[in-house]
Amino acid sequence: MKKVLVLHGPNLNLLGTRQPDIYGHETLEDIDNALYEEAALGGWEITCRQSNHEGELIDLIQAARIDGTVAIIINPAAYTHTSVAILDALTAFDGTVIEVHLSNVHQREAFRHHSYVSLRADGVIAGLGSQGYRIALSAVMSE
């Protein structure tokens, strides 16, 4: 069974209540449950994790290098714009990497227009809300 890791960065645990005008009303649990269901239908194993801590996200990426994970779907949230360390960890991962953002970061503040993660990502999905995660998973499972 092929494995995919979904990583959610800082503050995404607040989805559904934090700025719903930007991020929508779905909770992180809603998003993860939809992904678990889709992965199961496709015969894939999926692990979804959220952390507000950069080092924990890096540890999960590094573990994926050796546990048979073939793809990482990541919404690094604010770390998108600041974390060379997450970029370096993703660069050491040999599988597919898809970067996802709920909002269209290019319609937001100028500092959000730059992504370190995009330097490694095989694909980037932004502005489609939670559907972006499902599109990323579908793309991974069709490889």
Side-chain angles (χ1 to χ4, degrees):
M1 185 177 291
K2 291 185 178 181
K3 294 171 63 170
V4 62
L5 173 64
V6 178
L7 294 177
H8 309 285
N11 298 309
L12 291 172
N13 56 305
L14 301 176
L15 285 177
T17 61
R18 175 183 170 234
Q19 296 175 284
D21 54 313
I22 295 174
Y23 301 111
H25 294 280
E26 283 183 287
T27 66
L28 190 61
E29 183 179 7
D30 294 334
I31 292 169
D32 287 349
N33 286 339
L35 295 173
Y36 284 124
E37 185 176 314
E38 186 173 334
L41 289 173
W44 281 63
E45 180 181 339
I46 188 169
T47 302
C48 298
R49 295 287 182 266
Q50 186 277 329
S51 181
N52 294 318
H53 304 282
E54 183 179 32
E56 185 175 348
L57 294 168
I58 291 166
D59 288 344
L60 290 165
I61 294 166
Q62 289 180 357
R65 294 180 64 222
I66 58 174
D67 71 2
T69 297
V70 299
I72 295 174
I73 297 168
I74 183 169
N75 181 343
Y79 290 135
T80 303
H81 323 291
T82 64
S83 184
V84 173
I86 288 176
L87 168 63
D88 288 348
L90 290 169
T91 300
F93 176 73
D94 290 331
T96 301
V97 174
I98 300 183
E99 178 181 355
V100 173
H101 298 283
L102 296 165
S103 68
N104 182 348
V105 293
H106 301 288
Q107 289 181 332
R108 300 186 62 197
E109 304 92 338
F111 74 86
R112 295 187 194 275
H113 299 175
H114 179 265
S115 169
Y116 284 103
V117 172
S118 291
L119 294 170
R120 167 56 181 92
D122 298 292
V124 178
I125 301 168
L128 298 179
S130 64
Q131 183 180 355
Y133 285 101
R134 292 189 294 279
I135 293 167
L137 181 58
S138 178
V140 165
M141 292 190 327
S142 69
E143 291 181 346

